[in-house]
Amino acid sequence: GLKVLRIINEPTAASLAYGLDKDCDEKNVLIFDLGGGTFDVSLLTLDDGMFEVKATAGNTHLGGEDFDNILLNYFIDDFENKYKQDLTHNPKSMRRLKTACEKIKISLSTKTFDEIILDNLYENIDYQKIISRAKFEKLCEDYFLNCLDIVTTVLEDAKISKNDIHDIVLVGGSTRIPKIQSLLKNYFNKNLCNSINPDEA
């Protein structure tokens, strides 16, 4: 029952969310969209209220779930080293640990340390382990740097220098990770558009 006026792509929608179309001067906008399972970078040129997509690139298998799995494997190895037990054969233990990993990942965006505490995780063993944000960043470093490589690819495809980007818009829950924000800030040497909830932008 909806009357469709027109369909717009996601990067344009994110730009509109930040009101970037209100300023009529020509500008280049980079949309950095890192969600739960996919990663997309788009470069738009905005001129007189009209958006044109200049280049896009991404990785359909990169996102928050990969960061969860890196933590999962880290804790599995730690558990095995401590207790000489392999909990990967127990689906219930794995599910509980995976859920805890996602919570830890989220909390490390606001805290510099957190602790995983799971009673009776496997064979009546109570498991706890403190992890730092720095350790999490080290574990995920290759993924984070891969994100920057894709940003570079988009700029090269569009034949636009990073110095000519006016706005960087963050979309997707995984852009809350402080390291990703600091890498982007340092890369472009400017502040990011991140005042809108990235899950809703």
Side-chain angles (χ1 to χ4, degrees):
L2 292 175
K3 181 172 183 254
V4 178
L5 298 176
R6 78 178 154 139
I7 293 173
I8 58 173
N9 57 35
E10 284 184 293
T12 301
S15 304
L16 291 171
Y18 275 97
L20 300 181
D21 56 319
K22 299 289 184 280
D23 185 0
C24 284
D25 292 341
E26 186 175 335
K27 59 162 70 173
N28 298 311
V29 181
L30 186 111
I31 314 294
F32 187 95
D33 183 350
L34 185 60
T38 60
F39 173 54
D40 297 291
V41 179
S42 303
L43 202 153
L44 313 179
T45 298
L46 173 60
D47 191 13
D48 201 20
M50 295 295 291
F51 289 90
E52 184 186 348
V53 180
K54 289 290 189 184
T56 60
N59 185 336
T60 54
H61 301 289
L62 174 59
E65 200 166 338
D66 294 290
F67 310 142
D68 298 346
N69 288 333
I70 282 177
L71 284 173
L72 182 66
N73 291 325
Y74 171 73
F75 290 125
I76 287 169
D77 291 345
D78 180 65
F79 190 90
E80 192 164 355
N81 289 337
K82 272 184 187 158
Y83 304 109
K84 305 297 177 265
Q85 298 274 6
D86 179 7
L87 55 77
T88 58
H89 303 300
N90 186 311
K92 187 179 177 188
S93 299
M94 288 292 287
R95 196 164 57 246
R96 286 182 65 204
L97 186 55
K98 179 84 184 275
T99 302
C101 287
E102 188 181 1
K103 285 180 179 164
I104 286 270
K105 173 193 71 177
I106 290 168
S107 75
L108 287 175
S109 285
T110 50
K111 298 179 187 173
T112 51
F113 287 89
D114 203 356
E115 185 174 18
I116 197 164
I117 302 172
L118 292 166
D119 295 336
N120 189 13
L121 176 60
Y122 182 74
E123 302 289 339
N124 296 319
I125 299 169
D126 297 336
Y127 178 62
Q128 57 191 95
K129 170 83 173 169
I130 292 172
I131 186 167
S132 66
R133 181 191 290 175
K135 180 65 179 175
F136 169 68
E137 289 173 353
K138 189 72 186 158
L139 289 169
C140 297
E141 185 176 39
D142 288 347
Y143 281 122
F144 294 165
L145 293 176
N146 180 241
C147 290
L148 277 191
D149 289 342
I150 291 172
V151 167
T152 303
T153 298
V154 165
L155 291 169
E156 287 170 354
D157 288 351
K159 297 179 174 55
I160 290 175
S161 156
K162 66 181 180 179
N163 301 322
D164 294 326
I165 298 295
H166 300 90
D167 293 293
I168 302 108
V169 174
L170 301 187
V171 180
S174 297
T175 60
R176 288 190 177 90
I177 295 171
K179 185 67 176 178
I180 286 175
Q181 295 195 12
S182 67
L183 283 170
L184 279 171
K185 265 186 187 169
N186 293 337
Y187 183 86
F188 286 103
N189 198 24
K190 62 172 45 178
N191 289 326
L192 313 170
C193 297
N194 62 350
S195 57
I196 294 176
N197 178 342
D199 294 312
E200 299 169 358

